[in-house]
Every structure is written in C-alpha cells, then in structure tokens.
Amino acid sequence: MNALTVGVVKEAAAGERRVALIPDAVARLRDQGFNVLVESRAGTAAWFPDTAYAQAGAVIVTHAELYDQSDVIVAVRRPPTAGLAPGKVVIGMLRPFADPKFAAEAADLHVTAIAFEGLPRRLSAAQPMDALTSQDNIAGYKAAILTADSYDRFFPLLVTAAGTARPARVLVLGAGVAGLQAISTVRRLGAVVTGYDIRLEAQEEIASLGASFLDLGGPAAGAGSGGYARALDTGEQRSEQDGLAARIGDYDVVITTARVPGRRPPLLVTETAVKAMAAGSIVADLAAGELGGNVEMSQPGQTIVTENGVTVIGDDELAARMPVAASTAYSSNVRALLKHLVQDGVLTIDLADEIQAGVVVTHAGAVVHPLLAGTSSRGRS
C-alpha cells in the first residue's frame, strides 16, 4: 500500500504569513508513515526555511508538482482551485459558508473540501482540531498588544515624579475566544477593561477575568448554536447600537471580536459612535473582512485615521501577524484532524461520523454539508 502524500501549499493571499504545517509537524507525520511535500518557500514568511522542511523529511516541490503529486493538500486559507484534479482532498479554513460558490466549484471538480469552520466545537474529541479557537486565541492577544502599541498614552496606571498617568479604559465587544483573550491580555498590561456580550453566560466569563461587564439592558439572552451569539432582529440591533453609541465615548480603546461563521458580522460600532470618541482613541475591528465588520468605518486589512483623530484598525486575520505562534498551533490542529480522518494509511470519508459531518463540505462530486446541500455546482441544476 502506498503511503498517503500530504502537500503543504504556499499561501497565496496577500499578507498571509502562516503555513499549514511547520517542520516539527512534518517530522511527526513522517514518523506516522505519511509522505510530505512542501511547496518551495511555503514557510519562509513564518521563518521556516525550505532547509528546515528538508531536514524534517519533506520533499520541496513546485506548486504544479504539489498539486499533481499530493493526495491531501493542507492550507491555512483557501488555496487556488485551478489545477486541482478529481479525487484530491483540500483541508483548511476555507470559508465555505461565506462563499457557497466555492463549494459548488469544488464539487464540480470532484474535490473533497474539508473546512475547519464546520467543526462541531462542543465535542471534546474535536477540541484538538479546533483551528478557529487556536487562531482566535492568538488574534485576541495580538489585538491587545497592537492597540497598546497604537495608543499614544500608557495602558497601566503610572505614578512618577513627572506626574500620574491614569490607566487606559478599554472596552472589548464580544466575549468569545478572541474577546476573552483580549480582555485577559489587556488586564495584564494594566488597563481598566470592560467587556460586553449578549450571551448571559459571557457575563460570568468576563467577570472571572477581573473585568467589568457593560450592561446595556438589552436582550435577555442572546446565545445561539455552537457557542456563538444568535442573530438579533432589527429592533434589537438598533437598540444595541444606540446603547453602545451612548457609552463608547467613555473609552480610550475599543476592541470588537463578534463574528458568526458564514454571515455578516453584527454591526456594533456606528460611525456616530466613533465620532463621539476622543482624538487619539483606538478602535480595532477583528471582524473586518469580506463580509463586513463590527465597525461601520473599518476597512479590511487597513488602518485609517478619522477626521476626529480616532485610529480604526480593521483585520479579521490578525493571527497572521504572529505567524510562528499561529502556524505552530494550526499545525497541531491539522495533525489532529488528519489523525481522525486517516486510519491504517487510508483517508476514508464517513459522514455518519459527527466530526466529519461537520467539516466535510464536498465529496464525490456533490456538496454534502447540510448547511450547503442545496448549492448547485456549475453544469448541474
């Protein structure tokens, strides 16, 4: 029986510095019987040179060779579909729910697309594979560091001979993985931090980190499925936006982290709210991407300064700014998922398995994920 060949693609997205497998993970996969191909310079932006992969037992190849010779292609973000032959397997954070056309295209190519976004996170067995959590954790940390660096004053209380500097007042909107990590890190940096989330259970989580909870008197419960907040109706959204707009001007730094997979992020911070902030304030929108963001004025991948002197940072891939830590964590997620999918050297798709039912988007020429099963591929009705 031939060993399964895993190919590590060089990320194509602008500004993406992560790599799907680091050299240590390659060595572990080799020990488990996998062949590993690595596209030339795939890890260079994360400070993992081709020589390190070669020493770990990988074969360095061109992009065309990788697509031709790999059974399974692993990526951080969606790799190019051009050149993918029928029967290939692609694993990554593919964003299929935000772009159903991708699922249709993959099905039309007879490619098996496996997306971390569909992982049933409530299952304890799925936790080692949870790439969204590992990357959100890093993004929340980076947001705290980035805003502290961008803020023109001190985060902690400082008492010096030159006078006393009050601590920065920071508001974190959304208490998921990224939000809680941001709260924790901001607290360690010495700022006074307040958290907000519409989910009732988040109030205790925020308080457990030593932060205050911002009570807007909004929906009694905003919990949805999968640990995410539910979508608010139009009236609830307007009430939330108005409540936040009345309070955001009290803070020096606002970090927003509210996302719902496959849907437009909730608009939390309006332009009016940003205009109410003092000059020198910072807003970081961790949801600013192709579907929009939490902040009305944010732009994906850009930092802008408003007319009233507020710096607005938009970036829904903030983990890519810490490529070593992010790639290391992501590698572990990839290895865990491969271990679950591959038995005795054979990758077998079994949609009766709850984990596979969540992550497998397309297989055998069909869109099989229940959230996308109605999607038609090109040439099919």
Side-chain angles (χ1 to χ4, degrees):
M1 181 184 298
N2 294 329
L4 199 69
T5 298
V6 175
V8 183
V9 73
K10 184 179 187 297
E11 297 298 316
E16 180 55 74
R17 297 178 58 196
R18 292 170 290 185
V19 63
L21 290 173
I22 66 172
D24 178 70
V26 168
R28 291 170 181 263
L29 288 176
R30 290 282 297 162
D31 290 342
Q32 295 167 12
F34 290 90
N35 293 325
V36 182
L37 306 179
V38 176
E39 184 176 345
S40 180
R41 299 182 61 81
T44 302
W47 310 116
F48 300 113
D50 287 352
T51 52
Y53 285 103
Q55 291 170 1
V59 177
I60 309 302
V61 296
T62 66
H63 179 81
E65 290 171 332
L66 184 90
Y67 270 38
D68 179 57
Q69 300 173 26
S70 301
D71 301 306
V72 180
I73 295 170
V74 294
V76 177
R77 296 164 73 173
R78 185 191 302 171
T81 55
L84 285 173
K88 300 293 184 182
V89 178
V90 176
I91 296 175
M93 293 188 291
L94 307 178
R95 298 193 174 187
F97 309 120
D99 182 12
K101 291 182 180 179
F102 164 72
E105 183 178 6
D108 196 55
L109 292 170
H110 283 245
V111 167
T112 296
I114 298 176
F116 282 108
E117 289 89 340
L119 193 76
R121 304 168 84 177
R122 69 186 185 282
L123 298 180
S124 58
Q127 291 176 5
M129 314 168 202
D130 192 352
L132 297 189
T133 289
S134 76
Q135 301 306 292
D136 281 353
N137 198 37
I138 293 166
Y141 171 85
K142 186 63 175 180
I145 301 300
L146 180 61
T147 52
D149 180 63
S150 301
Y151 186 54
D152 290 336
R153 301 177 184 175
F154 294 110
F155 257 36
L157 169 69
L158 288 181
V159 180
T160 71
T164 299
R166 68 165 178 80
R169 296 163 297 193
V170 179
L171 175 64
V172 178
L173 303 179
V177 174
L180 292 174
Q181 180 58 253
I183 289 171
S184 178
T185 305
V186 165
R187 280 271 297 162
R188 289 197 293 270
L189 292 174
V192 175
V193 60
T194 300
Y196 168 78
D197 197 291
I198 63 172
R199 296 172 298 124
L200 290 176
E201 61 269 24
Q203 298 183 27
E204 295 184 3
E205 295 172 331
I206 290 169
S208 72
L209 296 175
S212 301
F213 179 75
L214 180 64
D215 187 358
L216 299 180
S225 61
Y228 296 99
R230 68 172 173 85
L232 303 183
D233 63 34
T234 302
E236 290 172 329
Q237 291 177 30
R238 179 58 60 85
S239 177
E240 180 182 52
Q241 290 169 4
D242 291 345
L244 288 171
R247 303 292 297 275
I248 281 174
D250 298 334
Y251 296 92
D252 305 301
V253 174
V254 176
I255 299 171
T256 71
T257 69
R259 290 190 291 184
V260 181
R263 301 184 62 176
R264 191 196 189 287
L267 178 60
L268 302 177
V269 182
T270 62
E271 183 175 352
T272 299
V274 174
K275 288 181 176 179
M277 299 181 75
S281 300
I282 309 294
V283 178
D285 185 356
L286 274 64
E290 56 190 16
L291 295 181
N294 298 144
V295 182
E296 190 170 17
M297 304 178 73
S298 66
Q299 297 295 324
Q302 296 185 31
T303 297
I304 62 174
V305 179
T306 67
E307 291 183 358
N308 60 313
V310 177
T311 298
V312 180
I313 303 167
D315 197 337
D316 69 340
E317 294 289 355
L318 207 54
R321 300 201 192 188
M322 291 184 62
V324 177
S327 299
T328 300
Y330 189 78
S331 289
S332 295
N333 303 138
V334 171
R335 287 198 303 108
L337 183 55
L338 283 172
K339 182 180 179 181
H340 184 78
L341 295 171
V342 179
Q343 304 295 327
D344 298 324
V346 178
L347 192 153
T348 303
I349 299 301
D350 177 10
L351 297 179
D353 173 77
E354 193 169 2
I355 289 176
Q356 289 205 35
V359 298
V360 177
V361 177
T362 63
H363 180 61
V367 178
V368 297
H369 197 282
L371 295 181
L372 296 168
T375 303
S376 297
S377 69
R378 295 191 308 271
R380 293 207 309 256
S381 60

